[in-house]
């Protein structure tokens, strides 16, 4: 037994539910409201048989996180969701203390459903609150109200969820510092263990992008002020920032998302899902029908979209790109242990001007973005990192 | 006059731009069976892509055609096509000197325009017989009789019953052929006299060396003879002489007085075959060169830099190749703190500059950064010396300047009377001196102004067009230098002068230009991690300022669902953009932004 446990490697499992009740105006994730509800059953069938095909993985791996995201996972009829959860458990040896997250939208779940999911093993609920302001929610094309957020949180607590995340957004049309403060206060009042703050980005092809000229967006200065305000306010309420967009009470950091930023392995299932496994990054095409057919073997259609081997030098670049998202930043000693290279001689001089400018902090020997550095992190990372003609990192 | 000469007609076609000069040339070539119909390409004489696209003729072309007239006699037509733009006035005048007559093409819907007049005067100066041809009679708005009357009134040549044609449809083209035979004089000249040939064009061919287009005025030239260029005294041995056919060169035994043809003589460099120069025999030279030779002097200067600094050598090679065919293009290496290594290039005018830029970009696949065009200023500095300044950043400091001079031009503008007010306002705003206004007919006038050349090259033509809804036309010629109150306007980014953004402006224009360029810098410099002050300065005096605010945020990709590739692509794209950036002092600016700052797209 001892030997067995040591051999089991950790793994994250991501399941994409590409369905929602109504597409939000800003959303560019692969998700749509299905016109025929029979798709749910065949989709869950496909995901389960797809997972089963990875059964051999179970010999070496034991997942310690599961994340059901979307879309709106809670769009699935509860019977289908429960079947899916059972499918995950029968395909992989999920660790006992695994973090098992599910995303949900307010007004798509009730107490009974949440209770059943909690009993099935889901132990972390991520609720898309976004804003407490009716006008802002409407501009985003959200289908819920603040009251429904409160009801969902209450129902989740009653269903014995002890780890709840609220997603909030800033940079919404018409949003002001005042309304942002209000949203933050109301979110904190619901006492979530975790809060994520997302800066609204206009994604090409979304309705919000097309109609952008009809809206007034907060300017960059205001957005930066919103960001720093949130950091200090949440800190004062006991939420520690651990990543650019993520805040948690100690011990409630999202272990699944941390895998992305720490270059750990994860397998994603479903169309548009991404995986990083055995030094390969790959993803599946954004088509439910293609996915179902491919899994069933009905067609020979390739369902893989991107497929990329990640050699060592790429890992170094990714490490920097992703680690710098974390507040703990990069510890040169750990960098040396991981790659056998001296971080400071590789990047120290390039980073120095940003240290001087107050964008990077090295006061305790690790390199970390300050809040103003996080807000311009692409600018700094694209300056510090080099790419070859094929778009791979050059170290 | 010999019998041979009696059957030769040497002529040009002159016209305002777009009046159909090249199309008429095509029809004449077709009608004389110079080219089989299936070989006919639109605008055969304009063989650069650029010329065909823009409908302009940049270099002069010539072609020898044979025409059997109605009386059964066989005539030789030497058609010399000329550039239609004011930048190439000198080349036009040399082409005209090679002819005895010219077809003056006038658009039946537009009437006489500025270049119609300017070219007609050049032709009259060259003693040519003018044959008016009214074109575009197929258009519903054609007014043949009104335009004929206008030609008689304004130019003073008989036009009643002159050919009225549609070069597009081919209607009445035989009338033109008849007029060429009947109205254009045959050449004379003594076949046995000492040789004098006028060079009216030349180009470099990789196999033949420079091919020189000449009109033989006197004497006879054969292959193997030694020739001398009279302006420089350089000598060559003739390899081949012959005629220019529509689709290539056609070797001949000799060229004699009255002929138009080509010479090859293993000449390496077009600058040895200057347009307007006289070719004579080395052993029996002509007593005098033909009159009117001038060195083609560049009037407009700009710095040209490769957008990618690593392509400096490619740019040099490309300029050298272009100069093989364009003696008017000059360039010397220059270094800019802001833009790195590049060349200060001299051009005949703005069109010439645009053509060169486009050819560098298209034919040599180069991305360029070009500084604002400038003229040559002359400055008397303390101590009595006069210096010429072709790069604004070399302009002497105010304390050593005694007097400054700028080049001016005599400009002629023809416009419908409706737009006189706006155009006079524009000319006044551009520091023009009004001379007179002449009515061409009841609805159109010709205005004469003296204008500083630096105002002309700063977007004058577009401003003129926009104030006249495209109807006004412009022609100008250089008119020497006048004393002027000039100042050097510098721009500072983050406290450092950006040499590539230095302008010489008239004192009165300094504030307006300073504010405008500062605003454009602000709009085009991408935000960076620190605030960037922009200042405009005359000497040590700051006359305008703006600030580019610091970048506060960029896109925080969500990295949701573990899509790392997308984030990486985003960074890579950003890096790609950054690589193209040029450092202007401590500030990074993309070539596009730099060019946008110098964009000339509105009044003043």
């Amino acid at each position: 037994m001892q030997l067995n446990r040591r051999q089991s490697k950790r793994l994250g499992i991501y399941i994409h539910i590409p369905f929602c009740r109504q597409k939000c105006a800003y959303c560019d994730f692969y998700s749509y409201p299905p016109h025929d509800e029979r798709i749910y059953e065949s989709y869950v069938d496909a995901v389960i048989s797809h997972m089963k095909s990875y059964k051999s993985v179970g010999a070496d791996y034991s997942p310690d996180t599961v994340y059901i995201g979307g879309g709106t996972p809670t769009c699935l009829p509860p019977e289908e969701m429960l079947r899916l959860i059972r499918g995950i458990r029968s395909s992989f040896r999920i660790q006992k203390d695994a973090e098992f997250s599910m995303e949900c939208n307010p007004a798509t779940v009730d107490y009974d459903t949440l209770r059943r999911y909690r009993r099935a093993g889901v132990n972390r609920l991520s609720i898309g609150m976004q804003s407490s302001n009716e006008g802002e929610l409407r501009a985003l094309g959200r289908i819920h109200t603040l009251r429904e957020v409160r009801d969902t949180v209450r129902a989740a607590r009653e269903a014995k969820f002890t780890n709840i995340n609220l997603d909030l957004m800033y940079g919404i049309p018409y949003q002001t510092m005042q309304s942002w403060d209000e949203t933050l206060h109301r979110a904190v009042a619901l006492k979530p263990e975790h809060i994520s703050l997302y800066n609204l980005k206009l994604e090409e092809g979304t309705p919000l992008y097309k109609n952008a000229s009809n809206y007034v967006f907060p300017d960059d200065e205001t957005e930066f002020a919103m960001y720093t305000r949130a950091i200090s306010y949440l800190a004062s309420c006991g939420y520690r920032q651990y990543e650019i967009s993520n805040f948690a009470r100690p011990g409630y950091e999202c272990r699944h998302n941390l895998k992305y930023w720490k270059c750990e392995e994860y397998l994603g299932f479903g169309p548009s899902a991404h995986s990083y496994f055995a030094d390969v990054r790959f993803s599946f095409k954004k088509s439910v029908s293609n996915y179902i057919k491919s899994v069933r073997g009905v067609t020979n259609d390739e369902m893989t979209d991107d497929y990329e081997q990640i050699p060592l030098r790429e890992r170094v670049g990714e490490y920097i790109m992703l680690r710098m998202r974390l507040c703990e930043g990069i510890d040169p000693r750990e960098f040396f242990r991981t790659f056998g290279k001296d971080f400071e001689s590789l990047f120290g001089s390039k980073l120095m001007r940003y240290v001087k400018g107050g964008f990077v902090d090295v006061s305790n020997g690790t390199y970390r973005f300050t809040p103003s550095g996080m807000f311009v992190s692409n600018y700094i990372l694209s300056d510090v990192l080099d790419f070859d003609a094929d778009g791979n990192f050059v170290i | 006059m010999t019998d041979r000469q009696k059957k030769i007609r040497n002529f040009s076609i002159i016209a305002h731009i777009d009046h159909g000069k090249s199309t008429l040339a095509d029809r004449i070539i077709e009608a004389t069976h110079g080219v089989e119909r299936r070989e006919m390409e639109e605008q055969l004489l304009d063989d650069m892509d650029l010329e065909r696209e823009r409908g302009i003729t940049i270099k002069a072309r010539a072609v020898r055609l044979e025409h059997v007239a109605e009386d059964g006699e066989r005539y030789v037509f030497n058609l010399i096509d000329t550039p239609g733009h004011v930048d190439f006035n000198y080349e036009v005048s040399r082409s005209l000197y090679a002819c005895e007559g010219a077809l003056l093409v006038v658009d039946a819907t537009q009437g006489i325009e500025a270049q119609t007049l300017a070219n007609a005067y050049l032709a009259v100066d060259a003693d040519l017989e003018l044959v008016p041809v009214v074109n575009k009679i197929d258009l519903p708005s054609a007014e043949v009789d009104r335009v004929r009357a206008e030609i008689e009134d304004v130019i003073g040549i008989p036009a009643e019953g002159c050919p009225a044609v549609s070069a597009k449809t081919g209607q009445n083209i035989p009338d033109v052929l008849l007029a060429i035979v009947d109205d254009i004089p045959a050449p004379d000249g003594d076949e046995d006299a000492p040789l004098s040939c006028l060079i009216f064009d030349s180009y470099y061919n990789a196999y033949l060396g420079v091919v020189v287009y000449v009109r033989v005025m006197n004497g006879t030239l054969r292959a193997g003879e030694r020739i001398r260029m009279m302006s420089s005294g350089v000598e060559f041995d003739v390899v081949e002489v012959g005629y220019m056919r529509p689709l290539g060169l056609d070797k001949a035994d000799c060229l004699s007085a009255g002929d138009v043809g080509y010479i090859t003589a293993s000449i390496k460099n077009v600058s040895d075959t200057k347009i307007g120069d006289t070719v004579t025999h080395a052993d029996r030279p002509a007593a005098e060169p033909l009159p009117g030779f001038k060195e083609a002097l560049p009037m407009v200067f700009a710095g040209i830099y490769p957008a990618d600094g690593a392509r400096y050598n490619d740019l040099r090679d490309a300029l050298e190749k272009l100069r093989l065919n364009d003696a008017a293009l000059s360039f010397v290496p220059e270094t800019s703190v802001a833009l790195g290594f590049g060349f200060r290039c001299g051009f005949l005018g703005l069109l010439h500059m645009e053509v060169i830029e486009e050819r560098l970009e298209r034919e040599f696949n180069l991305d360029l950064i070009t500084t604002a065009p400038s003229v040559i200023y002359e400055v008397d500095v303390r101590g009595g010396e006069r210096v010429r300044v072709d790069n604004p950043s070399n302009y002497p400091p105010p304390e050593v300047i005694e007097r400054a001079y700028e080049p001016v031009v005599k400009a002629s503008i023809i416009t419908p009377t409706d737009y006189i007010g706006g155009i006079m306002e524009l000319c006044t705003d551009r520091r023009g001196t009004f001379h007179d206004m002449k009515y061409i007919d009841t609805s159109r006038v010709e205005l004469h102004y003296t204008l500083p050349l630096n105002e002309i090259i700063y977007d004058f033509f577009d401003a003129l067009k926009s104030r006249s809804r495209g109807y006004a036309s412009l022609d100008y010629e250089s008119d020497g230098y006048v004393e002027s109150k000039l100042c050097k306007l510098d721009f500072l980014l983050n406290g450092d002068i950006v040499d590539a953004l230095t302008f010489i402006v008239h004192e009165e224009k300094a504030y307006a230009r300073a504010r405008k360029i500062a605003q454009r810098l602000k709009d085009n410099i991408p935000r960076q991690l620190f605030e960037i002050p922009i200042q405009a300065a005359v000497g040590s005096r700051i006359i305008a300022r703006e600030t580019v605010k610091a970048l506060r945020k960029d896109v925080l990709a969500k990295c949701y669902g573990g899509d790392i590739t997308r984030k990486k692509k985003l960074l890579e794209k950003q890096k790609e953009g950054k690589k193209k950036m040029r450092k202007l002092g401590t500030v990074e600016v993309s070539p596009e932004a730099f060019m946008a700052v110098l964009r000339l797209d509105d009044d003043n």
Side-chain angles (χ1 to χ4, degrees):
Chain A
M1 273 315 272
Q2 277 291 333
L3 191 70
N4 228 343
R5 195 170 296 156
R6 221 181 325 127
Q7 275 181 342
S8 281
K9 289 196 258 180
R10 300 195 304 179
L11 181 69
I13 300 291
Y14 175 81
I15 316 283
H16 189 67
I17 308 298
F19 308 115
C20 51
R21 234 184 246 173
Q22 184 189 307
K23 192 85 180 157
C24 299
Y26 57 89
C27 173
D28 77 328
F29 289 110
Y30 179 62
S31 154
Y32 66 97
H35 33 255
D36 182 350
E37 304 212 333
R38 281 172 299 184
I39 191 76
Y40 296 133
E41 188 183 345
S42 31
Y43 181 69
V44 170
D45 284 345
V47 174
I48 292 173
S49 52
H50 191 200
M51 288 190 298
K52 299 267 187 232
S53 69
Y54 277 80
K55 216 163 180 179
S56 59
V57 165
D60 298 325
Y61 288 86
S62 171
D64 59 327
T65 68
V66 178
Y67 196 104
I68 303 177
T72 305
T74 43
C75 262
L76 277 189
E79 292 312 322
E80 291 304 324
M81 178 60 88
L82 290 166
R83 203 158 64 82
L84 176 66
I85 294 170
R86 285 194 298 273
I88 298 168
R89 294 190 170 284
S90 61
S91 307
F92 300 100
R93 291 183 296 129
I94 308 293
Q95 291 184 14
K96 266 212 164 70
D97 60 349
E99 174 191 273
F100 197 135
S101 304
M102 186 191 294
E103 288 178 348
C104 78
N105 268 358
T108 58
V109 273
D110 54 21
Y111 165 78
D112 289 333
T113 312
L114 287 173
R115 185 73 194 121
R116 294 169 79 185
Y117 293 164
R118 178 70 192 86
R119 284 193 171 141
V122 180
N123 56 25
R124 182 174 183 273
L125 200 63
S126 178
I127 302 170
M129 170 175 173
Q130 317 309 356
S131 169
S132 68
N133 180 289
E134 304 285 311
E136 293 168 16
L137 288 171
R138 250 197 313 278
L140 292 173
R142 301 290 293 184
I143 54 173
H144 60 83
T145 60
L146 174 62
R147 171 183 292 274
E148 286 162 329
V149 174
R150 286 177 174 148
D151 291 348
T152 303
V153 173
R154 191 176 305 126
R157 291 297 185 204
E158 283 166 11
K160 303 277 194 293
F161 277 93
T162 56
N163 188 353
I164 293 177
N165 167 60
L166 295 178
D167 277 347
L168 303 180
M169 272 190 171
Y170 60 103
I172 306 170
Y174 312 120
Q175 196 174 29
T176 61
M177 270 312 269
Q178 201 183 350
S179 76
W180 175 235
D181 278 342
E182 204 171 77
T183 292
L184 287 170
H185 288 302
R186 286 174 168 166
V188 168
L190 295 171
K191 300 192 165 63
E193 282 69 30
H194 190 285
I195 294 178
S196 298
L197 310 179
Y198 294 112
N199 185 206
L200 176 62
K201 186 192 166 203
L202 287 178
E203 300 284 2
E204 229 169 300
T206 60
L208 197 65
Y209 181 90
K210 285 177 205 139
N211 298 326
S213 57
N214 300 337
Y215 293 113
V216 180
F217 291 87
D219 61 21
D220 289 0
E221 264 71 27
T222 309
E223 289 189 6
F224 180 66
M226 287 174 171
Y227 183 61
T228 50
R229 175 79 65 103
I231 292 171
S232 54
Y233 174 68
L234 292 179
S236 73
C237 301
Y239 295 92
R240 195 182 65 93
Q241 185 182 17
Y242 66 100
E243 193 259 357
I244 286 186
S245 308
N246 286 284
F247 301 75
R249 293 196 181 284
Y252 286 93
E253 294 82 5
C254 179
R255 283 154 55 191
H256 183 82
N257 284 340
L258 279 168
K259 286 185 187 294
Y260 299 147
W261 304 315
K262 294 194 164 179
C263 306
E264 291 169 13
E265 290 175 299
Y266 50 92
L267 279 174
F269 297 91
S272 86
H274 291 259
S275 300
Y276 178 46
F277 192 71
D279 293 341
V280 177
R281 291 198 184 278
F282 59 97
S283 66
F284 299 125
K285 284 181 185 159
K286 295 180 174 180
S287 162
V288 169
S289 59
N290 173 281
Y291 181 80
I292 293 174
K293 283 185 203 153
S294 303
V295 169
R296 283 183 187 160
V298 177
T299 64
N300 288 325
D301 270 9
E302 180 56 58
M303 70 169 157
T304 307
D305 197 357
D306 293 331
Y307 183 94
E308 195 189 358
Q309 286 275 354
I310 308 295
L312 177 68
R313 56 167 198 188
E314 277 293 284
R315 292 212 296 276
V316 174
E318 289 187 349
Y319 181 97
I320 292 163
M321 174 177 99
L322 295 167
R323 265 310 154 99
M324 285 302 280
R325 294 181 70 90
L326 296 174
C327 296
E328 66 186 64
I330 292 174
D331 181 345
R333 287 161 300 185
E334 195 197 317
F335 186 87
F336 186 79
R337 277 199 298 277
T338 313
F339 299 109
K341 290 174 192 289
D342 181 17
F343 181 80
E344 292 185 313
S345 63
L346 285 174
F347 300 103
S349 64
K350 278 186 174 174
L351 282 165
M352 197 37 72
R353 62 180 283 225
Y354 301 110
V355 173
K356 281 185 192 148
F359 300 102
V360 173
D361 178 37
V362 278
S363 53
N364 61 0
T366 60
Y367 286 79
R368 309 173 275 144
F369 281 131
T370 62
S372 55
M374 282 190 172
F375 229 59
V376 291
S377 57
N378 289 348
Y379 184 102
I380 297 173
L381 289 173
S382 66
D383 181 36
V384 170
L385 295 170
D386 288 315
F387 297 84
D388 65 14
D390 300 325
N392 297 315
F393 290 114
V394 177
I395 304 297
Chain B
M1 193 181 296
T2 65
D3 284 347
R4 182 185 60 82
Q5 288 173 334
K6 281 179 191 159
K7 297 287 183 294
I8 298 177
R9 297 292 179 272
N10 297 322
F11 65 97
S12 282
I13 307 179
I14 55 181
H16 188 74
I17 190 162
D18 283 342
H19 280 198
K21 184 178 62 135
S22 298
T23 316
L24 179 62
D26 287 352
R27 288 298 93 78
I28 294 173
I29 293 169
E30 230 172 66
T32 54
H33 310 293
V35 183
E36 293 296 319
R37 190 127 204 153
R38 67 188 152 77
E39 292 172 323
M40 200 66 200
E41 262 183 274
E42 285 288 292
Q43 304 194 356
L44 196 76
L45 292 180
D46 293 345
D47 54 39
M48 280 189 231
D49 283 350
L50 211 60
E51 291 183 324
R52 275 197 204 123
E53 270 168 38
R54 293 191 168 196
I56 54 168
T57 304
I58 294 161
K59 298 238 346 154
R61 305 288 144 158
V63 62
R64 178 183 168 107
L65 305 165
E66 268 152 35
H67 172 59
V68 181
E70 285 171 0
D71 55 10
E73 293 283 346
R74 185 174 284 268
Y75 287 86
V76 169
F77 284 4
N78 286 310
L79 163 55
I80 298 176
D81 198 16
T82 57
H85 193 274
V86 52
D87 282 5
F88 304 102
N89 250 344
Y90 174 68
E91 292 195 14
V92 177
S93 77
R94 292 309 88 194
S95 294
L96 296 179
Y97 270 101
C99 303
E100 278 72 42
L103 304 179
L104 178 70
V105 180
V106 184
D107 185 326
T109 68
Q110 309 273 334
I112 289 171
E113 297 283 357
Q115 285 162 25
T116 318
L117 265 187
N119 286 320
Y121 293 148
L122 284 174
V124 170
D125 285 350
D127 249 346
L128 300 196
E129 187 65 32
L130 278 180
V131 177
V133 176
V134 179
N135 189 22
K136 304 198 187 179
I137 60 166
D138 56 307
L139 295 180
S141 52
E143 295 179 88
V144 176
D145 289 333
R146 186 187 69 75
V147 170
R148 278 182 173 145
E150 193 175 277
I151 294 171
E152 297 203 341
D153 289 351
V154 179
I155 302 174
I157 54 170
E160 203 189 336
C162 74
V165 307
S166 165
K168 195 169 131 204
T169 66
Q171 191 185 346
N172 296 345
I173 295 300
D175 293 353
V176 178
L177 303 180
L178 201 65
I180 294 168
V181 171
D182 288 351
D183 297 344
I184 292 178
D188 49 15
D190 183 351
E191 292 175 356
D192 300 320
L195 180 71
S196 60
C197 308
L198 173 74
I199 301 179
F200 64 87
D201 195 12
S202 67
Y203 67 92
Y204 184 82
N205 176 298
Y207 303 103
L208 305 172
V210 178
V211 178
V212 192
Y213 285 9
V214 295
R215 155 69 195 274
V216 185
M217 295 303 190
N218 281 304
T220 299
L221 178 65
R222 290 188 166 77
E225 292 174 340
R226 191 160 182 82
I227 51 168
R228 178 186 299 160
M229 306 297 168
M230 291 187 80
S231 74
S232 58
V234 187
E235 296 185 1
F236 299 95
D237 292 317
V238 175
V239 173
E240 193 178 302
V241 296
Y243 306 123
M244 289 76 85
R245 299 290 184 187
L247 297 170
L249 300 177
D250 184 10
K251 207 157 136 181
D253 292 338
C254 65
L255 295 177
S256 298
D259 277 338
V260 173
Y262 71 89
I263 306 170
T264 64
S266 302
I267 303 168
K268 299 274 181 299
N269 209 326
V270 282
S271 59
D272 285 328
T273 57
K274 296 192 174 95
I275 289 173
D277 200 356
T278 305
V279 182
T280 190
H281 279 129
D283 54 358
R284 189 188 164 218
E288 295 279 331
L290 297 163
F293 172 72
K294 279 195 297 191
E295 294 271 356
L297 289 178
M299 308 251 280
V300 172
F301 289 79
I304 294 189
Y305 293 80
D308 174 0
R311 299 201 63 192
Y312 172 79
N313 287 328
D314 294 343
L315 175 59
R316 191 195 50 218
D317 293 349
L319 283 167
E320 269 165 9
K321 284 207 178 96
L322 289 183
R323 189 163 59 182
L324 284 178
N325 266 329
D326 188 346
L329 169 68
S330 71
F331 59 94
V332 290
E334 86 174 359
T335 316
S336 154
V337 179
L339 303 176
F341 294 101
F343 296 91
R344 175 99 340 212
C345 301
F347 309 96
L348 295 173
L350 276 189
L351 178 76
H352 188 209
M353 169 169 155
E354 269 177 53
V355 166
I356 296 289
E357 278 181 281
E358 279 201 49
R359 294 189 65 187
L360 288 170
E361 288 183 340
R362 282 193 199 190
E363 295 169 28
F364 301 92
N365 208 12
L366 289 159
D367 286 324
L368 305 175
I369 304 180
T370 310
T371 64
S374 175
V375 300
I376 296 193
Y377 297 96
E378 297 190 347
V379 180
D380 287 341
V381 293
R382 299 244 153 95
E385 195 193 346
R386 180 171 287 197
V387 295
R388 288 163 63 82
V389 183
D390 66 5
N391 180 346
S393 57
N394 297 337
Y395 199 75
E399 57 274 16
V400 306
I401 296 177
E402 294 266 13
R403 280 187 200 83
Y405 307 85
E406 66 176 325
V408 292
V409 297
K410 271 193 205 154
S412 149
I413 298 164
I414 293 185
T415 175
T417 47
D418 298 357
Y419 309 114
I420 295 175
I423 289 173
M424 292 182 86
E425 193 182 67
L426 172 68
C427 291
T428 308
D429 181 56
R430 297 303 183 91
R431 303 188 284 126
T433 310
F434 175 75
H435 295 301
D436 57 27
M437 179 166 81
K438 288 180 186 151
Y439 274 83
I440 290 178
D441 55 33
T442 50
S443 61
R444 289 194 311 155
V445 298
E446 184 181 10
L447 296 160
H448 289 110
Y449 274 90
T450 294
L451 280 155
L453 182 59
N454 84 352
E455 298 286 349
I456 298 262
I457 65 171
Y458 196 75
D459 191 36
F460 183 81
F461 193 64
D462 287 343
L464 184 69
K465 286 283 174 194
S466 79
R467 286 181 186 222
S468 65
R469 299 198 185 164
Y471 284 112
S473 57
L474 166 73
D475 193 81
Y476 61 85
E477 58 181 345
S478 164
D479 194 27
Y481 277 74
V482 298
E483 190 174 344
S484 181
K485 295 218 170 303
L486 299 168
C487 65
K488 181 182 180 185
L489 178 59
D490 289 316
F491 287 87
L492 295 84
L493 293 182
N494 233 3
D496 301 323
I497 290 184
V498 178
D499 58 359
L501 288 176
T502 295
F503 296 85
I504 305 300
V505 288
H506 191 264
E507 278 182 359
E508 288 169 13
K509 294 293 178 86
Y511 279 96
R513 182 79 67 93
R515 275 195 298 273
K516 179 174 201 159
I517 299 288
Q519 178 66 42
R520 287 221 184 126
L521 283 166
K522 182 189 170 185
D523 294 344
N524 285 289
I525 293 176
R527 290 179 169 207
Q528 317 205 357
L529 292 188
F530 47 88
E531 198 174 87
I532 305 163
I534 299 167
Q535 295 161 306
V538 171
S540 55
R541 196 160 44 98
I542 303 295
I543 63 170
R545 66 178 81 227
E546 291 284 351
T547 305
V548 181
K549 287 190 191 163
L551 175 75
R552 276 309 196 175
K553 67 159 245 188
D554 47 30
V555 177
L556 304 180
K558 287 164 284 229
C559 274
Y560 243 153
D563 186 354
I564 306 306
T565 317
R566 180 171 172 178
K567 168 88 180 171
K568 201 161 82 184
K569 281 182 185 149
L570 187 122
L571 289 185
E572 187 204 343
K573 215 171 137 193
Q574 202 160 332
K575 182 92 185 180
E576 197 56 38
K578 227 177 234 177
K579 263 193 204 148
K580 293 190 191 138
M581 297 281 195
R582 283 308 183 88
K583 282 229 159 185
L584 302 183
T586 47
V587 178
E588 287 176 333
V589 177
S590 70
E592 293 78 21
F594 182 81
M595 295 303 279
V597 169
L598 299 178
R599 194 184 56 223
L600 309 172
D601 64 350
D602 43 14
D603 280 17
N604 87 88

